[in-house]
Amino acid sequence: MESVKKRLTEFSLEAHDLYLNQSVPYLEEPPDPLQFYRDWIGPNKPCIIRNAISHWPALSRWTPEYLREKVGSKVISVAVTPNGYADAVSGDRFVMPEERRMSFSSVLDVIEGKVQVSGVLYVQKQCSNLLDELPELTDDVEPHVSWMSAALGKLPDAVNFWLGEASAVTSMHKDHYENLFCVISGEKNFILLPPTDRPFIPYVTRVTCVCQVSISRPFTANVTTVSLRSSTRVTLRRSRGSLWTLWTLTWTGTRSTRELGHCTVA
Amino acid sequence: MESVKKRLTEFSLEAHDLYLNQSVPYLEEPPDPLQFYRDWIGPNKPCIIRNAISHWPALSRWTPEYLREKVGSKVISVAVTPNGYADAVSGDRFVMPEERRMSFSSVLDVIEGKVQVSGVLYVQKQCSNLLDELPELTDDVEPHVSWMSAALGKLPDAVNFWLGEASAVTSMHKDHYENLFCVISGEKNFILLPPTDRPFIPYVTRVTCVCQVSISRPFTANVTTVSLRSSTRVTLRRSRGSLWTLWTLTWTGTRSTRELGHCTVA
């Protein structure tokens, strides 16, 4: 068994030496779909693409005032957690956030600090909530990224709008999708681990439960800290209309850092 | 260690269930480059493409008479083995074929049965011998397959001409290239094993030597027979101008079956 572990360690190191980059590369403009498939989707490598969404009106329009005017009265689903950790491990449990229905204005009140609530808010749906819950905002972006749709040969399964406080954290997880992540406002920090590091990621099955911040006392989640020598850290800011690609089965954890929080369409 | 072996077996079976096919699929015509990359190169899956080379003059032109007239006097490199097994295991040795320089006409004499020689002949170079040694034949084919070059974003590293007797065998091996295999005459049988079957393929390092059929008595190579439940067998004939794709790190062994042998440009 020791020889297996040794070989898996070598495999991880070789993957970094042979095809993964030590940092996430930047492309200066949106790529040709075939070239993009060949260089990034096929090898399952993340990259940051500058000037990919600089033409989106959202970059200049999406202020709290504008959002209040356009969708302030809309009732949306918000994940509420005691400490910002949604879908996170706490002791022997896997704790899912409370799903609360709130008006968009109420969410902005909290994020802007005008109203204090117990817990941390995070609009983080994955059910195409931009198109389904907030269609009034779609004119400010594009409902799909044309060169990515051409590369994949299909339209996106979901187009999501995310909005969260600085303390909102997405726990380490992996997706079975190709993701594009576009930061419209604020800043998002990613920690990435390639699929070849899978053997070194603690991964156990736990009982799943849902926290109810609104009716119970907040608890403190014991979030497992994963410290791996090969993890890649990257910060995505709204500057220059960058667009972040994040491929299937890459392990990732994220944290927002700006006061206004981040507002993300992916 | 038993649990590792069990998991590797499950992994192999799951690969067949989830993304590999039980038989090699046919496409009815050459694909769009991006679609081809997405559906076949990216997932590393072989396929047979019908009507891909039906416009090549070689399909009707390449008879022994035509080849004698065009390149009969050319001296080419021929692999000679005692039993048809080039680059094969014999006892504790890895035996490479004798490389003999012969005129193309002399090779055809043997393949057509007009002349008897000791050993089995196989023109099987991998150094772009079609373009370098037999440029007179390139007008009968295409120097590259346009949609494949577009998909890979580059021209082929090598364009090879292969010609062999029915008993010529290519031992089980893997390539680090994307391959296109075009049968112009005769028939070629492939045995394929996907990369996920790697743990079950006997693979040891042996001393390499070169056999010299011309000056020593032929020996009998003890060729290891790999019998795996998940191997895929496929026969490629010249009918309908089929073109065979064979991807990186897929394990393959081949055997020709027709009397005239096969004549392959890849």
Side-chain angles (χ1 to χ4, degrees), chain B residues 56 126-132 138 141-160 177-182 265-266:
Chain B
W56 284 11
Q126 297 177 27
C127 55
S128 216
N129 65 335
L130 178 69
L131 305 184
D132 294 344
T138 51
V141 295
E142 286 169 311
H144 72 110
V145 176
S146 60
W147 48 266
M148 184 61 158
S149 301
L152 295 177
K154 61 181 295 198
L155 292 172
D157 287 335
V159 184
N160 300 315
Y177 288 92
E178 313 293 349
N179 284 311
L180 290 183
F181 201 98
C182 319
V265 181

Side-chain angles (χ1 to χ4, degrees), chain A residues 66-76 103-105 133-137:
Chain A
Y66 176 86
L67 294 172
R68 278 179 203 279
E69 183 192 322
K70 289 282 275 192
V71 291
S73 60
K74 285 268 186 162
V75 175
I76 56 173
S103 72
F104 203 103
S105 283
E133 290 189 333
L134 303 165
E136 298 82 357
L137 298 179

Side-chain angles (χ1 to χ4, degrees), chain B residues 41-265:
Chain B
I41 301 178
N44 209 31
K45 288 164 64 175
C47 66
I48 298 173
I49 303 157
R50 287 179 168 137
N51 305 306
I53 57 168
S54 18
H55 57 292
W56 284 11
L59 286 178
S60 56
R61 282 186 194 161
W62 285 10
T63 61
E65 298 70 35
Y66 176 86
L67 293 172
R68 277 180 204 279
E69 182 192 322
K70 289 283 275 191
V71 292
S73 61
K74 285 271 186 160
V75 175
I76 56 172
S77 295
V78 186
V80 188
T81 54
N83 53 9
Y85 288 82
D87 297 328
V89 171
S90 174
D92 62 349
R93 302 294 170 96
F94 178 80
V95 185
M96 296 168 66
E98 177 189 336
E99 289 286 343
R100 199 179 292 176
R101 301 287 292 172
M102 295 172 68
S103 73
F104 203 103
S105 283
S106 309
V107 178
L108 286 174
D109 286 345
V110 176
I111 287 177
E112 291 190 280
K114 295 176 179 172
V115 173
Q116 301 293 322
V117 294
S118 174
V120 176
L121 307 190
Y122 198 2
V123 180
Q124 58 147 15
K125 300 296 283 184
Q126 297 177 27
C127 55
S128 216
N129 65 335
L130 178 69
L131 305 184
D132 294 344
E133 291 190 332
L134 302 166
E136 298 82 358
L137 297 180
T138 51
D139 284 348
D140 298 337
V141 295
E142 286 169 311
H144 72 110
V145 176
S146 60
W147 48 266
M148 184 61 158
S149 301
L152 295 177
K154 61 181 295 198
L155 292 172
D157 287 335
V159 184
N160 300 315
F161 174 97
W162 289 357
L163 170 69
E165 296 183 80
S167 51
V169 172
T170 301
S171 299
M172 189 63 67
H173 70 287
K174 66 180 190 298
D175 285 336
H176 288 257
Y177 288 92
E178 313 293 349
N179 284 311
L180 290 183
F181 201 98
C182 319
V183 169
I184 306 295
S185 171
E187 185 175 305
K188 191 84 169 171
N189 294 299
F190 289 80
I191 297 174
L192 298 177
L193 294 164
T196 41
D197 278 4
R198 167 67 185 88
F200 314 106
I201 298 172
Y203 195 58
V204 293
T205 304
R206 296 181 195 267
V207 175
T208 301
C209 62
V210 178
C211 70
Q212 289 183 286
V213 181
S214 55
I215 58 170
S216 66
R217 291 177 55 187
F219 62 85
T220 305
N222 300 314
V223 178
T224 306
T225 302
V226 179
S227 173
L228 289 165
R229 68 186 175 293
S230 62
S231 68
T232 304
R233 284 157 201 276
V234 63
T235 299
L236 193 63
R237 299 179 186 88
R238 59 159 289 180
S239 61
R240 304 186 62 184
S242 294
L243 183 147
W244 165 244
T245 65
L246 187 58
W247 303 136
T248 54
L249 299 179
T250 293
W251 292 74
T252 178
T254 68
R255 180 188 284 273
S256 319
T257 54
R258 286 283 170 81
E259 279 261 316
L260 176 61
H262 65 282
C263 177
T264 310
V265 181

Side-chain angles (χ1 to χ4, degrees), chain A residues 1 3-4 33-34 37-39 42-43 149-154, chain B residues 1 3-4 33-34 37-39 42-43 149-154:
Chain A
M1 206 60 190
S3 62
V4 173
L34 171 56
Y37 206 104
R38 190 194 303 134
D39 295 345
S149 301
L152 295 177
K154 61 181 293 196
Chain B
M1 206 61 187
S3 62
V4 173
L34 171 55
Y37 206 105
R38 189 195 303 133
D39 294 344
S149 301
L152 295 177
K154 61 181 295 198

Side-chain angles (χ1 to χ4, degrees), chain A residues 36 40-41 44-49 125-126 145 147-148 152 156-160 162 170 173-182 190 192 236 243-252 254 264-266:
Chain A
F36 190 59
W40 304 99
I41 300 179
N44 210 29
K45 289 163 64 174
C47 66
I48 299 173
I49 303 158
K125 299 297 281 183
Q126 297 176 30
V145 175
W147 48 266
M148 184 61 158
L152 295 177
D157 286 336
V159 184
N160 300 314
W162 289 357
T170 301
H173 69 288
K174 66 181 190 299
D175 284 337
H176 289 256
Y177 288 93
E178 315 291 351
N179 285 311
L180 291 183
F181 202 97
C182 319
F190 290 79
L192 298 177
L236 193 63
L243 182 147
W244 165 244
T245 66
L246 187 57
W247 304 134
T248 53
L249 298 179
T250 294
W251 292 74
T252 179
T254 67
T264 308
V265 182

Side-chain angles (χ1 to χ4, degrees), chain A residues 137-155:
Chain A
L137 298 179
T138 51
D139 285 348
D140 298 338
V141 295
E142 286 169 310
H144 72 110
V145 175
S146 60
W147 48 266
M148 184 61 158
S149 301
L152 295 177
K154 61 181 293 196
L155 292 171

